[in-house]
Amino acid sequence: MTGGALTSEYRTGDWSRVVVLVGQLVLALAAVYALQLENRTVFAVLVLAVLGFVVHDRLPPKYRLPFFATLSLGSTVAVLGFPGSLYVIGVGATLIAVCHAPLGYRLRVVILLVLGAALCWLRAWPGMGDTPALVGPALGGMFMFRTVLYAKSVNDGVSPHGPWWAVAYFFMMPNVCYPFFPVVDYDTFVATHYDSERFRIYDRGLRYILRGILQLLAYRVVYYGLAMDSLYVDTPGELLRYVVSNFLLYTKVSGQFHLIVGILSLYGFRLPETNHLYVLASSPTEFWRRINIYWKDFMLKVVYTPSFFRLRRYGQTFAIVAATVMVFIASWFLHSYQYFWIQGEWQIMSRRNALFWGIFAILVVGATIWEIQPGRRQRPRTTKGWSLRRGVTTLLTFGAVASLWSLWNAETGGTWMMMWSEARRGTLTDWVAFAALVSCFVAFAGFAWGAARLETPQSEPEPWRTIAIRGGRRVAVLGVLVMVGLPAFWNALPDRYGDIGDSLHGRGESAAGFALVQRGYYQALTTENDRTARPWVPPPNYTHEWEVFGPQKDFLQREYPRSAVITFRGRRLTTNRWGFRGHDYELAKPRDTYRIEIYGASDLMGWGVGDQQVFSTLLEAALDSAARTRGMRAEVMNFSVPGTSVAQEVALLANRGMRFQPDLVLLSVHPYELWSLEETFHAVQMFKWSIPDTGLSRLASGAGVDAGGQGTPANLRLIEAPVEERALHWAAQLVQGTGARLAVMEVRLPDLPGDFNLGTVRQAVRESGLPPLDCTGIWQGKVIREYRVSTVDTHPNAAGHALLANCLLQALQANAAALNVLPLAGSR
């Protein structure tokens, strides 16, 4: 019942080695728990895997495969529950039965294709209710590619088959948590099962588990500290940051794959490495061989080799080129097929996908033709030491691949091209920094780092000295990871380091995650299934809060209930008869009263703070106190509504605000104003709302994001500055002739790193000619976590609102004459 050649070498009584391994595994579990890596469901399966490993190793060899198969099936049932697991098991049993049916191979393939098409239809059919969303990703992860390899193996008849092998292969334990799973070859799965001394295999699994943990932690460092959305690239430095960090987000995939292979190794499957130093590939072909080794082997076995041998009669070079092209055409289609099973939608017609795989194919084919030229293989290569040539070729390869990767993950081709055009504005400092980074990369990449290889099976156990030294290093690394994950460690450090601890634990906001529409291919595939994955900390649920604002009816989008007292995010929120937050105001401005109106989004409306803590309330108290000394009154009316863009702010001013006879109108803009605009115009398209300004309507129509357009809201990036300029110009037209003054507040949320499109926003404000009141720097030098509502909610808390009120008060004092702020200017 086992596939390996060295199964007779089992030594079942070596408890001491088991204890050493289990001790390291327990530390690994502690690190995952302390750092809150992945989610609780993954952790539970990891615990089950470690407990199962102890039992599994104590069993006689003939019972080990059935035990692993049963444990894997049990984990599937535990995660998916009923009837989801029955659906997956029933479909799987049917597909396996067809593979073994006493029919011709071609007929079996046809039946499998028909069943696959039917399952795809069920995956997309709304009549199936919640079942496809629950079990579709798991079903696809288990059967969409491995069925091909299993059917081929059954037909070839080289490897052993049977019920236990089939269950073990298709329902591998980690698969239920990771629908995006390495394409494990069945023949390799069988052949490497206990083909080496078992403790060597277990130790290899520990190595991969530790690598997986470190790569998942590295992913968090990149995601929270470096990564950003392509729509927010405004400078050459941000362009470089985006291209590099966007590619490095793949560490999440690599980390998960290493964790998966490590778990399988604990049960005797000595599978090859899944990813190997792909950042240091020195040619496109080498990158293809390193980035996803299992996918490369899958394409080699299913597409390349059959195509090559059929086409070889037309010439060796032609066969190689044609087979390589077929591999990339198949990869293009199958990656969309994979996306469909996991995310429920096709990407096959996406231009970006076609461009990515087409250009990637050209690079690999070109490099392949270059490598097979006569005499190329005889040229000596530097295999040791440092080589400038290797460093430069690695740099060029990484630059080409990372740039291509950025196209794959960009929202539109137009926004991708605009992103590159930003490099024109580089300063000398930018280019010096760029040259320094390039030099460091070449220096590092110039060393020979070696290619991926599968170690030769060994029948003898390793000496204790080797085990002790290696185990000591691992224990030290895992001990540090556990310590870093403990709250006590961060509590002992100065408060300014607390934000780093939050990021390492996967908490807080990320510049990369602050986007409405853009999400990379692998980011989407590795997103947790909300139905099966229990998070460590439940994310904020704003459903009830959004219901406060009622249904969306027009371009203004949301409004408060009138004359209401609401508990909102656990705080008292009082609205007046006019439908905005704050105490009641008369429609007609009282005599000797100076009235300010403020327009903004959730941060300015006071999300998560009480009525008396909102910055506008604090500002009103300060201004009214100054006004009373001069026989006047001051009122500050807060018209801010969550999710509001600058265009909606002006629409609200036109619809309601001007009726209150303001003396000063303060609009607000954020560095991520584009996010709000995307949301606004996405709703315009969805609900067919009319845009109340002809200038804005004309701009939106040109970008294809009006009520009848088909363009993606990301196209607003191409016209972001004109849209913001037009909205501010519209506001100026509204107040013209009324005596009111108009200014723009520049604000930002705490704990959102990066400037986003602050440059674009400020350009629009400058072009409008309106005075800016800059409060974007109030968080600098502060311990950010002390000024936000919670670790998972970046809105400013009461202390943050106090900072904002003080900043605005100072800005009004500095501009009192220009803005005719009477309470501060001392005139009437």
Side-chain angles (χ1 to χ4, degrees):
M1 295 297 291
T2 56
L6 302 175
T7 54
S8 61
E9 299 299 323
Y10 291 136
R11 295 175 174 83
T12 57
D14 200 341
W15 271 102
S16 57
R17 293 177 183 254
V18 174
V19 170
V20 170
L21 284 165
V22 171
Q24 295 175 68
L25 286 170
V26 169
L27 264 181
L29 288 176
V32 171
Y33 183 86
L35 290 165
Q36 297 184 344
L37 292 174
E38 302 296 85
N39 53 67
R40 289 185 180 274
T41 304
V42 170
F43 177 73
V45 171
L46 283 173
V47 171
L48 181 63
V50 172
L51 294 175
F53 162 72
V54 179
V55 177
H56 176 269
D57 183 73
R58 297 296 92 193
L59 293 173
K62 66 178 181 179
Y63 295 121
R64 287 175 178 162
L65 180 66
F67 178 81
F68 172 73
T70 304
L71 194 65
S72 296
L73 205 59
S75 67
T76 301
V77 175
V79 173
L80 294 181
F82 295 97
S85 59
L86 293 180
Y87 179 86
V88 172
I89 293 170
V91 170
T94 302
L95 295 173
I96 294 170
V98 172
C99 291
H100 289 278
L103 303 170
Y105 178 59
R106 293 186 177 180
L107 181 56
R108 277 179 279 160
V109 170
V110 170
I111 295 174
L112 288 173
L113 289 174
V114 171
L115 288 175
L119 290 171
C120 285
W121 180 75
L122 290 174
R123 174 74 173 94
W125 183 39
M128 288 293 289
D130 293 338
T131 303
L134 174 66
V135 305
L139 184 66
M142 294 173 181
F143 293 96
M144 62 182 168
F145 296 137
R146 294 210 291 272
T147 303
V148 177
L149 294 167
Y150 186 79
K152 189 176 187 307
S153 178
V154 170
N155 183 66
D156 294 341
V158 175
S159 301
H161 299 86
W164 293 123
W165 279 114
V167 172
Y169 178 63
F170 284 107
F171 295 93
M172 293 183 221
M173 182 183 293
N175 208 161
V176 69
C177 299
Y178 292 119
F180 183 50
F181 203 81
V183 187
V184 179
D185 178 66
Y186 179 80
D187 293 331
T188 304
F189 181 75
V190 173
T192 59
H193 188 232
Y194 283 114
D195 68 340
S196 187
E197 195 273 331
R198 78 183 197 275
F199 285 104
R200 289 179 180 269
I201 301 176
Y202 300 157
D203 185 81
R204 193 166 178 271
L206 262 171
R207 185 201 318 164
Y208 285 150
I209 288 173
L210 179 55
R211 283 189 192 176
I213 291 173
L214 291 174
Q215 290 185 60
L216 289 172
L217 199 59
Y219 164 79
R220 284 184 173 174
V221 172
V222 174
Y223 182 75
Y224 287 99
L226 295 174
M228 60 186 297
D229 190 275
S230 62
L231 300 178
Y232 294 107
V233 171
D234 245 356
T235 67
E238 289 174 346
L239 173 62
L240 178 64
R241 173 183 164 186
Y242 168 72
V243 171
V244 174
S245 63
N246 174 70
F247 178 74
L248 293 181
L249 289 174
Y250 189 79
T251 50
K252 184 175 185 180
V253 175
S254 182
Q256 290 179 349
F257 279 14
H258 276 81
L259 204 62
I260 290 165
V261 172
I263 293 172
L264 294 174
S265 297
L266 297 180
Y267 292 86
F269 298 99
R270 196 179 61 88
L271 296 171
E273 189 176 4
T274 58
N275 313 87
H276 182 78
L277 299 177
Y278 45 88
V279 173
L280 298 175
S282 58
S283 71
T285 52
E286 187 178 4
F287 176 81
W288 170 253
R289 290 191 291 265
R290 289 186 177 197
I291 182 65
N292 189 337
I293 297 171
Y294 285 30
W295 183 263
K296 178 263 298 179
D297 290 343
F298 175 56
M299 288 288 98
L300 183 68
K301 186 171 189 175
V302 176
V303 179
Y304 183 88
T305 301
S307 302
F308 173 78
F309 283 107
R310 283 186 174 86
L311 297 170
R312 193 167 55 172
R313 63 178 179 270
Y314 298 109
Q316 187 89 352
T317 302
F318 176 81
I320 291 173
V321 171
T324 303
V325 170
M326 290 181 182
V327 163
F328 281 92
I329 292 175
S331 294
W332 173 33
F333 173 77
L334 292 177
H335 272 68
S336 181
Y337 178 67
Q338 178 174 243
Y339 195 92
F340 165 76
W341 271 107
I342 296 177
Q343 285 294 322
E345 59 185 57
W346 286 91
Q347 286 193 330
I348 189 66
M349 299 308 294
S350 168
R351 293 181 181 178
R352 289 179 295 107
N353 279 338
L355 282 172
F356 173 80
W357 290 107
I359 297 172
F360 197 3
I362 292 171
L363 291 175
V364 172
V365 168
T368 301
I369 293 174
W370 171 258
E371 291 174 357
I372 65 175
Q373 290 299 310
R376 286 289 305 163
R377 294 183 181 178
Q378 285 70 38
R379 295 182 182 180
R381 286 188 174 185
T382 303
T383 57
K384 296 181 180 180
W386 186 84
S387 166
L388 176 62
R389 178 182 179 185
R390 180 166 45 226
V392 172
T393 55
T394 301
L395 171 68
L396 294 176
T397 301
F398 177 77
V401 169
S403 300
L404 188 58
W405 207 274
S406 71
L407 171 62
W408 195 19
N409 290 316
E411 185 58 33
T412 69
T415 57
W416 186 78
M417 292 296 295
M418 181 182 183
M419 178 184 75
W420 286 96
S421 70
E422 300 302 319
R424 296 183 315 228
R425 295 189 288 188
T427 64
L428 179 60
T429 303
D430 292 329
W431 294 115
V432 169
F434 175 77
L437 290 172
V438 166
S439 300
C440 291
F441 185 88
V442 170
F444 183 77
F447 292 98
W449 294 98
R453 60 186 178 87
L454 182 62
E455 297 92 338
T456 304
Q458 301 289 329
S459 60
E460 295 299 322
E462 290 183 300
W464 264 107
R465 176 180 172 80
T466 303
I467 294 173
I469 293 174
R470 187 189 301 123
R473 289 197 299 261
R474 286 189 191 139
V475 167
V477 173
L478 288 168
V480 170
L481 292 177
V482 173
M483 180 182 68
V484 169
L486 295 176
F489 174 80
W490 297 102
N491 292 336
L493 295 177
D495 289 341
R496 64 179 179 273
Y497 295 110
D499 296 318
I500 299 176
D502 288 339
S503 296
L504 292 180
H505 284 79
R507 297 192 292 263
E509 283 285 2
S510 161
F514 200 74
L516 177 67
V517 293
Q518 196 248 342
R519 183 169 56 175
Y521 179 83
Y522 289 114
Q523 286 293 103
L525 293 190
T526 55
T527 298
E528 299 169 353
N529 188 327
D530 294 337
R531 305 295 185 84
T532 59
R534 292 178 54 223
W536 291 103
V537 178
N541 183 1
Y542 299 139
T543 303
H544 174 71
E545 282 77 1
W546 288 120
E547 290 175 354
V548 167
F549 300 99
Q552 304 182 47
K553 298 179 293 184
D554 54 26
F555 188 77
L556 295 179
Q557 202 163 349
R558 301 182 182 97
E559 62 179 9
Y560 296 98
R562 298 171 186 249
S563 301
V565 178
I566 308 163
T567 300
F568 187 91
R569 302 303 298 163
R571 298 290 186 270
R572 179 188 176 97
L573 189 155
T574 303
T575 65
N576 53 41
R577 54 178 159 157
W578 309 111
F580 57 90
R581 186 170 192 177
H583 60 81
D584 215 1
Y585 297 92
E586 296 296 329
L587 179 61
K589 183 173 61 176
R591 187 167 177 259
D592 294 330
T593 297
Y594 187 86
R595 180 171 280 180
I596 299 176
E597 293 181 357
I598 296 177
Y599 296 82
S602 55
D603 54 338
L604 300 189
M605 62 79 69
W607 184 284
V609 299
D611 290 333
Q612 301 308 310
Q613 300 169 325
V614 182
F615 85 100
S616 54
T617 303
L618 302 176
L619 181 64
E620 183 179 70
L623 291 176
D624 191 55
S625 177
R628 285 175 182 271
T629 63
R630 296 170 174 84
M632 296 182 61
R633 299 298 304 273
E635 295 178 342
V636 178
M637 307 170 72
N638 192 338
F639 285 84
S640 302
V641 180
T644 300
S645 66
V646 66
Q648 289 172 314
E649 292 176 25
V650 183
L652 184 58
L653 172 65
N655 183 268
R656 297 188 197 173
M658 293 308 299
R659 294 189 299 154
F660 290 88
Q661 303 168 287
D663 295 289
L664 175 63
V665 174
L666 298 180
L667 303 175
S668 67
V669 291
H670 297 74
Y672 24 86
E673 186 64 38
L674 178 64
W675 186 91
S676 300
L677 288 172
E678 285 181 307
E679 188 180 57
T680 298
F681 286 93
H682 178 71
V684 165
Q685 286 184 309
M686 181 180 297
F687 300 108
K688 308 300 181 185
W689 292 336
S690 61
I691 301 173
D693 176 67
T694 55
L696 282 176
S697 180
R698 192 179 306 113
L699 287 168
S701 179
V705 291
D706 58 352
Q710 298 298 317
T712 169
N715 284 337
L716 285 167
R717 177 65 180 107
L718 306 176
I719 57 169
E720 180 187 0
V723 166
E724 291 164 2
E725 290 171 23
R726 174 56 208 170
L728 296 177
H729 181 67
W730 178 21
Q733 289 177 320
L734 291 174
V735 302
Q736 188 174 14
T738 65
R741 302 297 176 89
L742 180 65
V744 182
M745 297 173 55
E746 297 174 355
V747 294
R748 69 186 308 153
L749 292 169
D751 197 33
L752 270 179
D755 283 339
F756 295 86
N757 288 354
L758 184 59
T760 303
V761 171
R762 284 178 170 166
Q763 174 191 338
V765 175
R766 285 194 301 270
E767 292 294 329
S768 70
L770 299 176
L773 307 180
D774 189 359
C775 287
T776 58
I778 61 175
W779 315 114
Q780 291 180 0
K782 301 291 193 302
V783 180
I784 299 300
R785 63 190 339 206
E786 296 179 359
Y787 293 93
R788 62 191 184 200
V789 171
S790 70
T791 57
V792 294
D793 191 335
T794 61
H795 290 92
N797 59 14
H801 274 266
L803 276 182
L804 185 58
N806 184 60
C807 174
L808 187 54
L809 182 62
Q810 292 180 8
L812 290 175
Q813 289 173 337
N815 294 273
L819 297 178
N820 196 27
V821 186
L822 300 185
L824 298 177
S827 58
R828 296 180 60 179

